[in-house]
Amino acid sequence: MPEEKKRLYIKIGVLLGAVLLTGLIGGVVASSYPNWYSSLPFKNSLPNFLKPPDSEVNSSKEVVRTVEESAVIDAVEEASPSVVSIIAKTVNFDPALGVVTDQQGIGTGFIVDSSGIVITNNHVVCETGIDYNVLTKDGKSYAVTKIDTDPANDVAILKIKGSSFQALALADSDPKILKVGQKVIAIGNALGQFQNTVTVGVISGIGRGVTAQGGCGGQSEETLQNVIQTDAALNPGNSGGPLLDLSGKVVGVNFAVSTSAQNIGFVIPINRVKKILDQYKKEGRIIRPFLGIRYRLIDPQESAARSVPQGAFVSSVVVASPAATAGIEVGDIITKLNKQKVSLSNDIVTILNDVVVGKEISVEVYRNGRSIALKIVPREAD
């Protein structure tokens, strides 16, 4: 065959092959492109006129996530089954309808033991005459059979019927480990109706002091020192829910939010809760030391301005209380308790978390310009 004819046949063959390949590609691309093209083993050998535009090749349907996004998603998926909504059940009599049962979501909690131990805030479950249930993410309801509270720390421990629950792991909230700027995740029953709502933020501050209104019954106030501040959005109903690190471990319990500013929420450090939980598991109940005083902390600025030491200014003493028996008087400034200095970052509530009921401890008070050493025996709070 003449060489010129052979070259002509080759060109025709290549052209026909290209036409057939174009039709093949066109037929497949309509349904599965660009994934089909991306997996084509000989795509680099195709002539340019058969290759699709680069913009289309790069528009893969595969979702690309950052490391941080993946960590948040994984943490939420792992933790959500352990986060519960606290439901309050009340029975009332309506003149028109008769007996009416009302159920309302009032807060959040999280499971910390497979036997059914749930952590939440005291102010979520402090109302008496109410039956409480917890609702898990999968819609299952469990009756609360026992409630133990620690109002001073705004912590409550619930026991629910059941077993083999998935429990959350607890992190270390020591300021040497927990850092300002660290990414955190809040999960809660927002507004009492949006179950397992997820918000993300950072640790905005550590060692804050805050007085929160709307305690038990919505009328009282509670002051907590040395708490965590976060900008993760917290809403009514988030109280008692967990604040998680990116590994899905609990760094704190959400308990309050500023109503005069946006994205300023407050969280009880989980290390404080751990001590209460350990005692509960050991004793079967929360045992709280009681001194019998009301006090206000004196900060460094007041201390310098008034020429008095930092500490807890005693505003009242309960009659026949351990404090009264020890000789503590109104107007005293407690500067040391159990050999620890009393300050904004180490207040009396924090110190009492390490005190054993019935065991004598030392106390130093500043009175009329001099320091007085006393002994006090805390008793169990009612």
Side-chain angles (χ1 to χ4, degrees):
M1 180 182 295
E3 192 66 28
E4 192 173 317
K5 271 190 176 182
K6 188 184 290 186
R7 284 199 298 269
L8 178 61
Y9 290 148
I10 291 174
K11 287 182 180 179
I12 293 172
V14 169
L15 182 59
L16 289 174
V19 171
L20 291 173
L21 185 58
T22 303
L24 176 62
I25 293 176
V28 177
V29 165
S31 58
S32 59
Y33 176 80
N35 291 336
W36 179 89
Y37 174 80
S38 298
S39 61
L40 196 65
F42 53 87
K43 61 179 181 291
N44 293 330
S45 302
L46 292 175
N48 288 334
F49 73 90
L50 289 178
K51 292 181 179 181
D54 288 341
S55 60
E56 293 183 14
V57 173
N58 294 329
S59 62
S60 172
K61 293 182 180 179
E62 181 182 354
V63 178
V64 178
R65 295 192 178 98
T66 64
V67 173
E68 182 180 292
E69 286 175 329
S70 296
V72 170
I73 292 169
D74 291 345
V76 170
E77 289 181 347
E78 178 68 22
S80 288
S82 304
V83 180
V84 301
S85 298
I86 309 296
I87 308 298
K89 180 181 177 182
T90 57
V91 180
N92 298 300
F93 185 82
D94 185 287
L97 302 175
V99 178
V100 177
T101 300
D102 180 49
Q103 297 192 74
Q104 182 179 3
I106 57 171
T108 308
F110 55 96
I111 300 169
V112 292
D113 190 272
S114 61
S115 65
I117 298 176
V118 176
I119 297 293
T120 188
N121 288 140
N122 169 70
H123 75 259
V124 172
V125 293
C126 62
E127 290 280 359
T128 58
I130 294 178
D131 290 330
Y132 295 99
N133 283 39
V134 303
L135 186 68
T136 55
K137 184 184 178 183
D138 59 6
K140 294 181 180 178
S141 180
Y142 298 88
V144 174
T145 59
K146 187 173 181 287
I147 299 177
D148 284 76
T149 62
D150 184 344
N153 289 289
D154 196 15
V155 171
I157 298 179
L158 315 182
K159 186 68 177 69
I160 60 176
K161 289 183 177 180
S163 61
S164 301
F165 292 101
Q166 181 176 324
L168 283 179
L170 306 183
D172 189 343
S173 60
D174 188 294
K176 294 178 182 178
I177 297 175
L178 192 69
K179 297 298 183 181
V180 173
Q182 178 178 330
K183 207 78 173 179
V184 285
I185 308 161
I187 305 180
N189 184 20
L191 303 180
Q193 56 182 318
F194 300 112
Q195 188 179 11
N196 284 67
T197 295
V198 175
T199 54
V200 179
V202 298
I203 298 294
S204 306
I206 297 174
R208 305 297 201 205
V210 59
T211 297
Q213 294 182 339
C216 191
Q219 302 299 321
S220 61
E221 292 184 347
E222 56 184 354
T223 299
L224 289 178
Q225 300 291 337
N226 202 26
V227 300
I228 299 166
Q229 180 187 335
T230 181
D231 71 345
L234 304 179
N235 297 284
N238 275 97
S239 289
L243 189 73
L244 309 169
D245 61 20
L246 291 187
S247 68
K249 294 182 178 180
V250 184
V251 299
V253 183
N254 305 319
F255 81 96
V257 62
S258 173
T259 57
S260 58
Q262 292 184 340
N263 299 333
I264 297 181
F266 298 99
V267 184
I268 302 166
I270 199 62
N271 284 6
R272 188 182 306 182
V273 180
K274 283 180 183 178
K275 295 177 181 179
I276 301 169
L277 180 61
D278 289 345
Q279 181 201 65
Y280 176 89
K281 289 182 176 180
K282 181 180 178 181
E283 304 291 342
R285 59 195 177 97
I286 295 177
I287 301 175
R288 296 177 288 114
F290 173 73
L291 299 184
I293 61 171
R294 292 182 65 87
Y295 66 90
R296 184 180 72 82
L297 290 174
I298 297 174
D299 62 32
Q301 291 75 22
E302 291 175 316
S303 172
R306 301 296 181 184
S307 298
V308 296
Q310 292 184 56
F313 176 83
V314 179
S315 57
S316 67
V317 179
V318 176
V319 176
S321 66
T325 303
I328 296 175
E329 300 177 0
V330 172
D332 286 347
I333 298 174
I334 300 175
T335 56
K336 284 187 178 181
L337 184 64
N338 198 27
K339 300 180 180 180
Q340 297 184 47
K341 287 185 178 181
V342 178
S343 64
L344 293 179
S345 61
N346 194 42
D347 66 331
I348 287 179
V349 171
T350 301
I351 295 172
L352 286 178
N353 285 336
D354 293 319
V355 168
V356 178
V357 169
K359 183 177 180 180
E360 184 181 79
I361 59 173
S362 62
V363 55
E364 288 187 19
V365 301
Y366 176 83
R367 181 188 300 166
N368 299 324
R370 63 192 183 97
S371 181
I372 301 173
L374 303 170
K375 297 291 184 179
I376 189 170
V377 181
R379 72 169 188 239
E380 184 176 349
D382 298 331

